[in-house]
Every structure is written in structure tokens, then in C-alpha cells.
Amino acid sequence: MNIRYILGAPDGAPIAQVLSTLRSQSAWRPFDERAVAFVRRFSQKLLTSAGIRQHPELAALGHWFRGANLQTLAGKYQFETPEQLKLGRGMAFHLAPSNVDSVFMYSWLLSLLAGNVNLVRVSQKASAPLEFLVGALAQTLAEDVGIPVRDRIVLLTYPHDEQLTRLISESCLIRVVWGGDATVRALRAIPLRPTATEICFPDRFSACAIRASAVLEADDAALAQLAAAFYNDAFWFAQQACSSPRLVAWVGEEAAIDAAADRFWTAVDAEVARRQPENSEAMNMARVAASFEYAAAKLARPAVPGELRGAHPMRLRLEAALDETAKTLHCGNGLFLETRLPRLAALAPQLSDKEQTLAVHGFPREELVELALALPARAVDRFAKFGEALSFAPVWDGQDLITTFSRNILLPNG
Amino acid sequence: MTSSDTLPSGPAQGPTLPLDISRPYDYPESVKGPALLSTMNELTRWHRERGAPYAAMVERLFAEGDAVTLDQVPYLPVRLFKTAELRSVPEQDVIKTLTSSGTTGQAVSRIHLDRETSIRQTRVLSAIMASFLGKRRWPMVIVDSGSLLNDRRRFNARAAGILGFSIYGRDHFHCLDDALSLDVPGLQAWLDRHADTPVLLFGFTFVIWQGLYQSALRQGVRLRFPKGSLLIHGGGWKRLLDQQVDNDEFKARLHEQFGIDHVHNYYGMVEQVGSIFMECEHGRLHSPAYADIIIRDPLTLQPVADGNPGVIQVLSAIPLSYPGHSLLTEDVGTRHGRDDCPCGRHGTYFSVRGRLPQVEMRGCSDTRVMA
């Protein structure tokens, strides 16, 4: 078998033996001091590594797992009550997307904190962020703080091999899949042991909604702040994170939207000019090709008349309700679909279980709840403020990860 | 069989370039320019009337009315043929569908040809070939295996190319076996029969390199082709550039190993079969009268001046059955000039440098299925 161990097992180790070692480790309680100490140290290591500036998303990861935040997070759960005890599930099998995304690191570190032992399969493709992460992990594991967790982490990679995936899937008690819809489907066909559970993070689509009047009422400073927040949501990761907004839904009267959109996009253009996001030739070609595909299907046309090609951001106005095709054609890379609605709740019928994050600006809580109650099943897992669409939360895709990664053991009462 | 035998009688079906099809390199810009522009405008109208997706794109993304200059002619990104069904004839008029894999992954282009478009492809290609081969047919070596041409209705680009070029030769010999290894005794015996006359070789660039050159090198054979022999090859340089083999190296090695005097690359694609861009004796790719190229800045898609690299837009007056008369490729090239090449051919001439890199997939989604 073509397994390459990155961490936690020597080259050529038989997988059966690796699995057996992992499975022989007992599950810990969530936020066991040994796991917390390791993650805290890893976070320090990451933040103080030379070269972290080249990987802002990894700096954010390190910052998120800092000691103080771990303490706050642990304080949200009750690990032992008279009635029950929380414990990790056992061996977790994590499948990362083909390009390492920091969000996937969050999930397996949370699994470690939840008390699990972890086998992590990363992509075959080498990448600078992955090497950086592996370096920091290896250094942390080599220290004293790494000793107790050494037998609880294996990082490996292997080419497409259903037999191997099947073997590992039969051993684990929870499988965590990050990947495109096709990957999730292919993995779902590979059985788990009957007592195991699974959590999947498939392709998602995210949007934002803006009340036109809120943009018109904002002073210049507030507007610039809003544009900066939108920039952080939409331009990082080339708009390809599952929570990057791809649709901008305007809410208000036509005339107000005209004026607000004009003001908003002018501010965004200024922010883009100031911060110079990555905009490669290939990214432009991808946007252009997508704009042709939308036009061919009569789904969208340029939001402003005139020369569209080369625009970054590129804006298209939806001509019909947002449907599955419109979501699938979107390629990220700085392309925005726009639509107009009289009220926020009118967005509900255009959403589906594909939607993850809706970043919102200018709506009172009641309107968000009104929309939430009108949503189709499973649509929208979170409403976020502008600027926080990409922020990681321990509740992801609608699930509390610490809770999902652990189990409750009932105790006899009294 | 020549193409003219199969020409339909009666009125022309679809917009036609009003220039003598048999003189692909004779027209200066002052004659070709206005003729091609007018035909392009007619073709844009033709396809708008016959294909709803094409009409929807042109209406939404380009200015209304006829193009006043060639660079205003609406174009489609070539990758659209991989995702959309683009056809300007009823399905029952499609006589064959060409496919190409391209380099982006699983998706293939699907190009639907009707009888008229297919005939036009052959006629234009014949005129271009005549400029390099004359009117006679040469004994021909096809550098590929004979078993490639099985499914006649759904050709891949390689099979279509081989079939298209085969009509310019006679006494054909496929010199590779099914494993794309050189059939040395077979080729030697064939060469013994054609020792006194120049022969034509045709194949795809990387097949020639691997199957002919490297195979001969590995087997330790040194074959000599007759003096004046000429090799035509196309299909792209990607795999050769990966091995640091450029056009000069390619020519030098083939000359050294086989004594092939003339090696001509061509630039063409399955989306515009027929109006290919042949490399002349001075190493320049030439637009025939039926085609032209425009170079655009990949970030703004504005046309750039000659001498500057950019993405290549290809124009062809051939396609009637699919909206492929104006396509934006993802190849990078430079237009160097027009009408003044020392080889004497008119038209624009250019060089191709490679392909634009593809966008990197990031974020949570996977780029391919993994189980």
C-alpha cells in the first residue's frame, strides 16, 4: 500500500498495526489537561514560527487555539454532572480536502480536545501551508508536552485506494469528511462499523444580505468599515471558502437599492484598490468564463452595462431566482451575483440545504428570526456579521463539534 | 477522394468568405480585413438566429450591432464547449461530434459538425496544405497506430486530425504499434519502397517525440528519410516543454536522427478544425485568409499591440454548425506582424508560448473525487 506517514508512525509501518495502536488508546474527557497543554503549545509554536506572516490563515488558527480561548471554550460545556459524564468517542478518521484549508485543522484539533485519538488523511498534494503546519506539529510533539499525545495523532496520505479507506473506516468510531459533494458521496458508500458515526462537510454556498437604507444612512467612516468587513469575508481564499459570500442580496425599494449599491461598491472598489487582493490572469479567465455560462443559461447579466471583462470584483445581476445551477456555476475568484428583494424573508424560497453562512448588515434580530422560520429545511447554518463570515466557530455547519466528537455516559443517579 | 467531389451544388449554405478559398496566403490586409470582418458579422448573426444560448451570451455580454473592427467581434471562451451544448443546427444534421480532452481534467469539448461545416474544413485545410506540399500527393507516414480510428461518429481530436491530414498523402503507413512503439522493420521496408521521393510525415507533437524519436533512440536505430521529406505536427507543446524540449531542439533532433529536412508545427484546435495556423519556413505561425488571431491582455481582455504577449483569440470563417467562429483560447502567444514575412505569405503571423495556468482550487471543496 502506498501510505506515506507524515507524523505519528514510521515509514513502512503496517496500517493494521497503526490502527491497532490507535485503537488501544483510551478516550479522554473533553479538554483533558494533556490535550489542552499540547494544543496550547502548538498554538504558541505556530504564532512564533518564522514565516508565519506568509500564512495569515494559519496565524488566525494559532490565535484561535490560544490558551485563553481554550479556557473560555471549555467553560461552555459541562463535562461531569451527577447524571452523566462526557468522554471522547475513540478513534476519529479525518479526511481533509485536497487543498489544506485551515478550517479542517480546526476540526481535528477540536477532535483531539474532545478526547479522541485521530488518524488524519491529508491530500497527496504538497503545499506550503501544510508543510508549515506539519513542521510546527512535529516540533510540539517532540517536546515533553507532546509525549502523552504522541500515540493519539497520525497524519498520513495515500493515493485513491478504496480498500484502504474501507479498512480505516471499519476501525474508526467517527469519520469526519471534508470535501466536495462527489467526495462525500463516494465516501458515504464505504461502510463504517455499526457503532460508528459520521459528520460531513460538503460543498456549501454562502451569501450576504444588506439593507439598502443602512448603507445610505452610514457616514463615510462607517461605510469604509463595512467595505473593509466585506472585503475580509469575500476576498480571502479567493472567495472559495464555503462561507465566502457569493450572492449579495439587497433589501429595500428599487431607488434606495440603486443608490446604496452604487455607494457600497464604490467603497468596495476603494478597499480593493488599497489592499490589492490576489487577482491572477487565471482568476480573471475563470470569472469571464463563469459570466458567459450565466449568460448562456439566462441566469444573470452584467449588473452595470458596459465592459464587464476584466472587472474585479465582477458583478452580475441575477435574472431569475437563485437556483442550484446558479450556485454550481459560481467559481469564486471575485464574482458576485446580486439580487433585489422587498424584504429579507423573501430570500427564504431561494435558499436550500446548500446554504451555509448568511452575512447580514442592517437587520434587526426579529427580521433574522422571521427569515430563519421561513427557511427550507437545513438551509443556512449561521447568520454572521459582516467581517465574520470566515471566522471559525465551534458550532460549524450547524453542529457543535465538541458535542459531536464526544459522547455522554449516563451515571446512576444518587 | 478529394473534397471538391463532394461539394453540394446550388446556393452556398451559410455565410462564406468572399475570397478565393484556394489562395489562403495571397490576400493583403486591405483585401482580407474587410472581407473577414463582414463574414464574421454574418456568422455572428447566423449563430444568434440558430442557437439560444449563443444569442443569450452575445445579447448580454457584447455591444449591440455589427462589429466595426475585428476585435469587436463577439467571442466565446473556448472552455464553454466543455460545459454547454452549443449547436447551430438541428441534432439530426450533425454528422460527427469531435471531442478533445484538453488539459483541465475530465471535461471534454464537444464540437458538432454538419456536412457543410465538415466540407468547408476540408477545403480550407486542402488549400493551406497545397501551399506547403504542392498539388501532388506524397507517400505518407502517419506517426501513430492504425487502430486509433475506430468509432467513426465520435472522433477524438487525434483521430480526427489524422484522418483529416491523411488525404494529402498516398500509400499510407502507420509506423507505430498499439503500444505507440516504433515498428522498425515495417518502416524500413516501407522506406525501401520510397527511397527516391520525399515523403510526408504527420503526427501529434508528443507522439512523434515519444513514439518516433525516443523509440528509435531507445532501439538504437538510425533511419534515413529521403531528401526533401517534410513533417507536419501539432497538438501542443505541454508535454515536451515539461521535458525541456522546444521547437528548435525538436527540429534539430529529428533532422539528426532521421534526416528529415522540413519540420512544420501547426497551431490548431478541435474547436476550429480546418483553418489551422501553419509554421512557415521562417518559424512563424501564419493566419490563412479564412482565419485570424487577436491577442488580448489576460487581465483586461483588451487587445494588445503587436509584439506583446497575451491570450490568443482565434477567428475562423468556417464554423456553421456550432458557434465557434470567434473563440478566446487559454493559450498565450504574441502576434509579431502581418503581410511582411520573408516566406512571402500574407496574413498575420505569431508565436505561441504555452497555456495560461489554471486557477487553483482552494477552500473546503475538493478538486477531485477521493475515496
Side-chain angles (χ1 to χ4, degrees), chain A residues 343-359:
Chain A
R343 322 186 356 260
L344 181 62
L347 186 59
Q350 300 191 42
L351 303 177
S352 70
D353 62 350
K354 191 96 181 153
E355 272 66 52
Q356 187 211 50
T357 299
L358 183 70

Side-chain angles (χ1 to χ4, degrees), chain A residues 44-316:
Chain A
Q44 284 173 353
K45 199 111 219 156
L46 206 54
L47 290 174
T48 54
S49 293
I52 185 70
R53 280 166 177 279
Q54 278 143 40
H55 305 288
E57 75 279 19
L58 302 187
L61 175 82
H63 186 69
W64 200 87
F65 281 103
R66 71 195 185 279
N69 201 35
L70 294 180
Q71 214 168 7
T72 313
L73 187 60
K76 290 182 179 164
Y77 300 90
Q78 278 199 305
F79 301 118
E80 190 174 343
T81 63
E83 294 81 26
Q84 60 181 31
L85 190 67
K86 258 192 204 303
L87 210 56
R89 286 180 177 270
M91 186 188 135
F93 177 23
H94 304 263
L95 292 116
S98 66
N99 285 70
V100 177
D101 179 64
S102 41
V103 102
F104 142 81
M105 279 294 293
Y106 289 89
S107 94
W108 83 260
L109 285 173
L110 281 174
S111 169
L112 180 72
L113 288 169
N116 295 319
V117 294
N118 300 281
L119 186 143
V120 185
R121 187 234 165 153
V122 300
S123 156
Q124 286 279 96
K125 215 168 103 181
S127 77
L130 179 63
E131 274 175 39
F132 197 87
L133 284 169
V134 168
L137 277 171
Q139 284 174 27
T140 316
L141 281 169
E143 296 180 2
D144 285 351
V145 79
I147 295 170
V149 297
R150 263 176 219 168
D151 291 331
R152 307 179 78 82
I153 302 172
V154 170
L155 244 72
L156 51 71
T157 183
Y158 56 86
H160 176 89
D161 183 341
E162 198 184 311
Q163 279 311 104
L164 191 50
T165 303
R166 191 173 287 270
L167 184 70
I168 302 171
S169 296
E170 277 162 5
S171 293
C172 71
L173 283 160
I174 178 167
R175 186 166 66 185
V176 185
V177 183
W178 293 85
D181 289 352
T183 297
V184 170
R185 281 210 180 86
L187 277 154
R188 280 262 167 91
I190 297 176
L192 291 163
R193 52 193 298 123
T195 47
T197 185
E198 179 168 51
I199 171 170
C200 295
F201 299 96
D203 288 335
R204 304 304 296 276
F205 185 94
S206 290
C208 68
I210 313 177
R211 180 192 294 288
S213 58
V215 170
L216 296 176
E217 287 154 14
D219 61 26
D220 286 352
L223 182 70
Q225 227 167 32
L226 183 68
F230 178 76
Y231 180 98
N232 289 339
D233 289 348
F235 288 85
W236 273 55
F237 301 112
Q239 203 191 10
Q240 287 180 19
C242 31
S243 43
S244 311
R246 296 172 169 208
L247 169 79
V248 179
W250 291 98
V251 177
E253 306 277 330
E254 281 293 319
I257 294 175
D258 284 341
D262 195 38
R263 206 166 170 236
F264 175 75
W265 287 110
T266 304
V268 171
D269 285 345
E271 188 69 13
V272 167
R274 192 170 73 79
R275 293 174 65 179
Q276 299 282 323
E278 182 192 0
N279 181 29
S280 65
E281 297 165 347
M283 284 170 68
N284 187 48
M285 294 299 275
R287 283 196 297 273
V288 168
S291 70
F292 276 80
E293 288 179 319
Y294 280 112
K298 301 184 184 176
L299 287 170
R301 58 170 69 237
V304 274
E307 185 68 33
L308 160 82
R309 293 168 285 282
H312 185 233
M314 185 179 282
R315 296 169 52 200
L316 298 177

Side-chain angles (χ1 to χ4, degrees), chain B residues 214-257:
Chain B
Q214 290 186 327
S215 198
L217 210 61
R218 202 171 44 241
Q219 297 180 49
V221 287
R222 242 177 113 89
L223 294 162
R224 304 313 289 177
F225 282 85
K227 193 157 177 47
S229 291
L230 184 148
L231 181 146
I232 294 173
H233 68 105
W237 288 93
K238 190 178 179 307
R239 292 196 224 185
L240 266 73
L241 290 176
D242 291 346
Q243 302 177 37
Q244 268 94 47
V245 178
D246 62 11
N247 197 6
D248 289 342
E249 168 102 0
F250 187 84
K251 285 181 185 176
R253 294 295 192 86
L254 287 170
H255 187 262
E256 176 190 315
Q257 189 74 19

Side-chain angles (χ1 to χ4, degrees), chain A residues 97-99 101 121 160-161 165 179-180 182-183 186-187 190 203 237-238 240 242 278-286 288-289 291-293 295-296 298 300-302 307-310 319, chain B residues 52-54 56-57 59-63 75-77 79-80 83-84 86 297-302 311 328-330 332 356-371:
Chain A
S98 66
N99 285 70
D101 179 64
R121 187 234 165 153
H160 176 89
D161 183 341
T165 303
T183 297
L187 277 154
I190 297 176
D203 288 335
F237 301 112
Q240 287 180 19
C242 31
E278 182 192 0
N279 181 29
S280 65
E281 297 165 347
M283 284 170 68
N284 187 48
M285 294 299 275
V288 168
S291 70
F292 276 80
E293 288 179 319
K298 301 184 184 176
R301 58 170 69 237
E307 185 68 33
L308 160 82
R309 293 168 285 282
E319 297 177 54
Chain B
Y54 179 76
M57 287 186 272
E59 187 255 312
R60 283 164 179 74
L61 299 172
F62 293 92
Y75 52 79
L76 300 186
R79 71 165 84 161
L80 250 64
T83 52
L86 296 169
D297 181 326
L299 275 178
T300 64
L301 298 191
Q302 293 299 313
V311 286
L328 186 67
T329 73
E330 296 186 20
V332 178
L356 273 186
Q358 294 294 307
V359 285
E360 205 184 317
M361 292 299 286
R362 285 195 293 204
C364 322
S365 291
D366 216 331
T367 47
R368 58 201 174 117
V369 181
M370 272 292 181

